[in-house]
Amino acid sequence: QEIETKMMAGASLGIDPVASVMGIDIIQGRVSLSAALVAAAIDSHPRYAIQVLRMDKQCCDIAFYSGDIGPQGSPFKGSWNPERKPWEGLKAEVNFRGIESFSLEDAKQAGLLSNNNWKKYPRAMLRSRAITEGQKAFAPALGGGVKAYTPEELGGEPHKDDLPPSAQA
């Protein structure tokens, strides 16, 4: 029954059935998407794009863009240049939406640091939260306006797809 629920939830969001089964959890009756699944939805969408600006053990900053991104998925006229500001060098039909940051201090305030995955893989966990928080703030139409919640926002454990490959073995 859980597999059918995941597939139905994924279908309503335009997600492939296999990806739905692997990247969706149902926690307390609510749909929880892995951040990897949210990032893939953004990357494959012709009107949204993201750019990781900073990702270390203290913070992750991700820029969000919307507009006519196109099939290549880049909002920039050329390639990304970390020396310029994230709103510079954009294609004419692309809008800079904003930057979502999630820091270790944010995780501490949310009570997340007691989880072993947060202790072992802070970079990956910070990235996951920045992606899902940014989707809610800057790409709410993605997935028909359904908010993406990480499992720990709903009282669960971080999704295994959001951990580094070494942790998934």
Side-chain angles (χ1 to χ4, degrees):
Q1 182 176 355
E2 185 174 316
I3 289 175
E4 291 89 9
T5 303
K6 289 180 178 188
M7 290 172 60
M8 286 178 18
S12 72
L13 299 171
I15 300 170
D16 174 84
V18 174
S20 297
V21 171
M22 296 182 73
I24 294 177
D25 289 320
I26 308 299
I27 300 172
Q28 298 177 9
R30 299 193 66 180
V31 174
S32 172
L33 306 176
S34 71
L37 194 58
V38 174
I42 292 170
D43 283 345
S44 66
H45 199 283
R47 302 217 31 96
Y48 290 109
I50 58 174
Q51 177 66 49
V52 176
L53 304 175
R54 173 186 175 191
M55 186 171 74
D56 56 38
K57 292 179 180 180
Q58 296 300 311
C59 188
C60 183
D61 300 328
I62 299 178
F64 284 76
Y65 304 90
S66 67
D68 190 8
I69 305 296
Q72 296 160 335
S74 174
F76 305 104
K77 291 177 189 166
S79 59
W80 163 247
N81 179 352
E83 297 298 316
R84 65 181 176 219
K85 297 187 179 2
W87 51 85
E88 296 176 342
L90 297 177
K91 296 175 184 174
E93 53 281 345
V94 173
N95 298 306
F96 168 71
R97 298 293 307 268
I99 297 172
E100 185 62 48
S101 296
F102 204 85
S103 69
L104 214 52
E105 185 59 37
D106 294 328
K108 180 180 177 182
Q109 189 172 11
L112 300 173
L113 298 183
S114 61
N115 181 293
N116 275 337
N117 288 320
W118 275 89
K119 292 174 186 172
K120 292 179 187 176
Y121 312 108
R123 283 173 24 108
M125 297 290 92
L126 292 169
R127 179 181 179 272
S128 294
R129 289 303 288 267
I131 287 170
T132 57
E133 291 297 310
Q135 181 272 328
K136 289 179 245 186
F138 303 117
L142 187 69
V146 174
K147 292 180 179 178
Y149 290 100
T150 58
E152 67 263 55
E153 287 178 281
L154 299 174
E157 291 290 315
H159 197 282
K160 66 179 178 359
D161 288 349
D162 296 336
L163 300 174
S166 61
Q168 295 178 24

